[in-house]
């Protein structure tokens, strides 16, 4: 259950307005995270019918009648084991019914068509309309993201202070300890499978922690986050154990400069491709372009990866309220790699930095 009461009615009204502009009479929302975003419902079966000219209808099955009453008190409830079919039947007769074409399977679409057979209703794919709304966070969401980032910051600070990041320990042990600490600090779960990569493994962008032991003089790359009230944080820090060699200081300083350039480029109206370029150009100019092998960042929210994508392949511009990561990396195969990642919120002023752990090279 969510602690804070978010403005779900306001979000449904934004979807209603967008649907009206597209000439739709109703939208059937089946993606569970989108249903959660629009209603607050956290169960495993739920769907929502948003009507442009009438009252909305929330559907679930009998297991969730009580939970729906608590979490979705402001939408009329329909309880039926065939939730989506029942909601669709309720919509039969409207002219144009939007559905989430990225979420409904081919079989699911046939089922919708069968329910609507004989009615004049036309099905219209709305693609990622709700995800588009979700890209811009409201104050309650930013607050949840802030708390998620604080948990991750604190977990790392505590582990570092306790000497848990020391030679002889395995990546797996460090990862499990980081996860456990985030949970004890209030996370519902880690945001994703925590990445702990040391030595040559740090050159693998998404290395899975294994029994490799931390060694003196190695990089230690940690990419992790906490989920709080359904919202994810995402942070990467790379540190060095024992003492840092010159090549490690050089690579680190390069990624640090690139990351700062990426953060500086986060402005309302900025093209996502330009933000990626601002950060990437620093690495390319140093001759390491081929060692930065992924996009610069991504949106974060109810999902760890959501709109907007910030990469050379992306499209669109930033808007105030978008929560995004900036995470350049330089990976030298066989040697080691550095990534530095923050989660930030775009504002009309400076972006708000949510992951507050220092980005100076930490030698533990
Ligand atoms: Zn990350
Ligand atoms: Zn990330």
């Amino acid at each position: 259950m969510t602690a804070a009461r978010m403005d779900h009615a306001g979000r449904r009204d934004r979807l209603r307005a967008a649907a009206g502009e597209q000439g739709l009479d109703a939208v059937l929302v089946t993606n569970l995270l989108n249903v959660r975003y629009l209603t607050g419902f956290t169960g495993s079966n739920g769907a929502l019918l948003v009507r442009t000219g009438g009252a909305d209808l929330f559907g679930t099955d009998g297991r969730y009648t009580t939970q729906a009453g608590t979490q979705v008190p402001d939408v009329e409830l329909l309880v039926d084991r065939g939730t989506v079919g029942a909601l669709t039947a309720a919509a039969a007769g409207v002219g144009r019914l939007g559905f989430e074409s990225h979420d409904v399977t081919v079989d699911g679409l046939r089922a919708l068509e069968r329910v609507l057979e004989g009615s004049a209703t036309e099905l219209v794919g709305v693609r990622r309309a709700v995800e588009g709304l979700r890209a811009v966070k409201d104050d309650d969401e930013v607050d949840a993201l802030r708390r998620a980032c604080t948990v991750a910051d604190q977990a790392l600070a505590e582990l570092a202070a306790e000497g848990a990041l020391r030679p002889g320990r395995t990546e797996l042990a460090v990862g499990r300890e980081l996860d456990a600490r985030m949970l004890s600090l209030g996370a519902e779960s880690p945001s994703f499978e925590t990445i702990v990569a040391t030595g040559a493994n740090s050159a693998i962008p998404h290395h899975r922690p294994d029994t490799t032991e931390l060694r003196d003089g190695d990089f230690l790359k940690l990419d992790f986050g906490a989920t709080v009230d359904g919202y994810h944080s995402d942070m990467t820090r790379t540190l060095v154990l024992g003492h840092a060699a010159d090549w490690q200081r050089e690579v680190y300083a390069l990624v640090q400069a690139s990351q700062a350039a990426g953060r500086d480029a986060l402005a309302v109206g900025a093209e996502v491709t330009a933000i990626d370029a601002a950060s990437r150009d620093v690495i390319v100019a140093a001759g390491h372009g081929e060692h930065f092998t992924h996009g610069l960042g991504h949106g974060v929210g109810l999902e760890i990866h959501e709109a907007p994508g910030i990469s050379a392949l992306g499209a669109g511009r930033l808007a105030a309220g978008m929560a995004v990561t900036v995470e350049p990396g330089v990976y030298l195969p066989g040697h080691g790699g550095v990534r530095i990642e923050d989660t930030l919120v775009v504002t009309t002023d400076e972006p708000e930095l949510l992951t507050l752990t220092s980005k100076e090279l930490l030698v533990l």
Side-chain angles (χ1 to χ4, degrees):
M1 306 240 173
T2 52
R5 197 72 225 157
M6 297 199 177
D7 182 22
H8 303 112
R11 296 175 192 169
R12 291 193 297 274
D13 284 341
R14 285 200 287 149
L15 177 62
R16 198 184 322 284
E21 280 170 23
Q22 289 181 50
L24 299 172
D25 299 294
V27 179
L28 178 66
V29 181
T30 50
N31 176 281
L32 259 185
L33 282 177
N34 288 342
V35 171
R36 176 176 182 162
Y37 175 75
L38 294 167
T39 65
F41 180 72
T42 59
S44 68
N45 175 43
L48 178 71
L49 184 68
V50 171
R51 294 185 173 106
T52 48
D56 299 333
L57 190 58
F58 172 71
T60 187
D61 63 73
R63 294 171 298 165
Y64 291 118
T65 309
T66 306
Q67 185 174 333
T70 309
Q71 293 185 325
V72 198
D74 52 346
V75 183
E76 188 187 336
L77 177 65
L78 181 154
V79 177
D80 193 299
R81 273 175 64 194
T83 304
V84 172
L87 277 184
T88 307
V94 305
R96 284 161 57 84
L97 173 62
F99 71 101
E100 297 187 287
S101 45
H102 68 298
D103 185 70
V104 174
T105 63
V106 174
D107 286 350
L109 180 58
R110 290 196 183 120
L112 295 185
E113 287 167 348
R114 271 197 303 278
V115 171
L116 294 173
E117 221 163 50
S119 81
T121 301
E122 179 193 354
L123 282 165
V124 181
V126 299
R127 307 181 69 99
R128 298 179 174 269
V130 182
E131 280 83 348
L133 299 177
R134 275 171 44 192
V136 173
K137 272 66 185 174
D138 57 35
D139 291 347
D140 294 329
E141 294 181 285
V142 173
D143 182 58
L145 286 166
R146 245 183 234 125
R147 285 180 284 128
C149 291
T150 300
V151 166
D153 278 330
Q154 200 177 335
L156 179 57
E158 290 184 8
L159 258 58
E162 291 164 14
L165 312 174
R166 63 175 183 276
R169 306 204 70 205
T170 66
E171 293 173 349
L172 269 174
V174 169
R176 286 178 185 149
E177 201 158 346
L178 203 44
D179 290 352
R181 192 58 56 99
M182 289 193 287
L183 294 176
S184 71
L185 289 168
E188 291 146 19
S189 64
S191 281
F192 52 91
E193 199 177 340
T194 293
I195 294 171
V196 181
T198 191
N201 291 342
S202 61
I204 303 167
H206 275 192
H207 171 70
R208 234 184 166 164
D210 60 26
T211 55
T212 304
E213 287 184 4
L214 279 53
R215 289 183 321 182
D216 204 54
D218 276 351
F219 273 133
L220 174 61
K221 189 181 72 190
L222 304 163
D223 186 353
F224 64 104
T227 310
V228 172
D229 283 345
Y231 286 79
H232 299 74
S233 71
D234 194 1
M235 174 168 79
T236 307
R237 289 295 184 269
T238 307
L239 41 101
V240 177
L241 298 165
H243 77 284
D246 287 346
W247 72 272
Q248 289 172 317
R249 291 190 184 279
E250 279 169 31
V251 174
Y252 193 90
L254 177 60
V255 176
Q256 201 176 18
S258 163
Q259 208 259 355
R263 283 187 283 117
D264 286 346
L266 292 182
V268 172
E271 295 262 14
V272 294
T273 49
I275 300 160
D276 181 277
S279 180
R280 193 173 302 275
D281 286 351
V282 175
I283 290 172
V284 170
H288 280 296
E290 66 183 299
H291 297 131
F292 178 12
T293 48
H294 52 75
L296 181 65
H298 54 86
V300 266
L302 287 170
E303 288 176 281
I304 182 63
H305 293 126
E306 57 181 50
I310 301 180
S311 78
L313 303 171
R317 294 170 186 276
L318 293 187
M322 286 183 170
V324 298
T325 69
V326 175
E327 50 179 305
V330 168
Y331 311 96
L332 305 174
H335 292 277
V338 173
R339 179 165 65 251
I340 303 173
E341 174 182 27
D342 283 316
T343 299
L344 306 102
V345 178
V346 179
T347 76
T348 50
D349 197 10
E350 296 269 290
E352 181 185 348
L353 180 64
L354 302 189
T355 41
L356 300 176
T357 299
S358 167
K359 288 182 284 287
E360 292 307 313
L361 178 59
L362 182 63
V363 182
L364 272 184

